[in-house]
Amino acid sequence: AVHFLFLLPVFFLQMTKSVTNPEELGGLASQMTNDYGHLALQGRMAAATAEPEEIGFQIRTRVQELGHGCIFLVQKAGALQICPTDSYTKRELIECARAVTEKVSLVLSALQAGNKGTQACITAASAVSGIIADLDTTIMFATAGTLNAENNESFADHR
């Protein structure tokens, strides 16, 4: 449910728009809470498998900080529903939404840092696959006899 991280800017816009329609905040807060629960589970698994261990700690910490920010955001949404005309609460809601958005970017950067080793393996595997494909192509042409031999040896002698 890392999609939550990508949906958060939409939540931010909806939350700030809902300042004028506080009755919409309950549904948004409920959806955000549900999505964060999925993210927390995925974050726990990502932190457990991250190498080095410091990256796992960073993922865990940043996901927790995001959770705290989401709690404050939901609390402010509830406060605005109680008193929909309070301009101070409206500003606080917008500030909480901005803080949550910043925390999302920190979670994303931690996840990307934990993914560097995986990405390096994917890149290496891709390079090896390319080399194997080139060798297969060369073998195919050599077997067909379309490559020029430098001497009288055949490909079967070297195969």
Side-chain angles (χ1 to χ4, degrees):
V2 175
H3 76 280
F4 171 73
L5 296 173
F6 299 106
L7 291 177
L8 204 64
V10 174
F11 280 125
F12 175 72
L13 287 174
Q14 289 175 336
M15 285 279 191
T16 53
K17 281 183 184 177
S18 295
V19 166
T20 56
N21 297 325
E23 64 276 358
E24 296 175 10
L25 290 171
L28 291 171
S30 178
Q31 181 64 45
M32 184 176 65
T33 301
N34 186 37
D35 287 344
Y36 176 78
H38 294 297
L39 172 69
L41 178 63
Q42 296 294 322
R44 187 179 316 126
M45 289 188 286
T49 59
E51 288 294 329
E53 196 173 305
E54 296 84 35
I55 297 293
F57 177 76
Q58 192 176 51
I59 292 170
R60 191 170 36 257
T61 302
R62 288 183 177 177
V63 169
Q64 287 173 350
E65 290 171 357
L66 175 59
H68 293 296
C70 289
I71 289 169
F72 293 136
L73 185 60
V74 169
Q75 288 173 341
K76 294 302 174 189
L80 189 60
Q81 282 186 314
I82 292 170
C83 189
T85 59
D86 184 8
S87 62
Y88 181 74
T89 304
K90 288 178 182 181
R91 281 193 307 266
E92 284 184 323
L93 177 72
I94 292 169
E95 285 305 312
C96 283
R98 283 189 184 121
V100 167
T101 303
E102 289 173 15
K103 291 177 189 308
V104 165
S105 67
L106 294 174
V107 170
L108 279 173
S109 67
L111 289 170
Q112 288 170 343
N115 194 27
K116 286 182 182 173
T118 303
Q119 188 59 46
C121 289
I122 291 169
T123 302
S126 177
V128 169
S129 293
I131 291 169
I132 290 171
D134 289 346
L135 287 172
D136 284 342
T137 303
T138 303
I139 289 170
M140 181 184 70
F141 284 115
T143 304
T146 58
L147 293 180
N148 294 332
E150 292 181 12
N151 50 31
N152 290 335
E153 298 174 343
S154 70
F155 175 70
D157 296 337
H158 294 281
R159 189 173 179 172

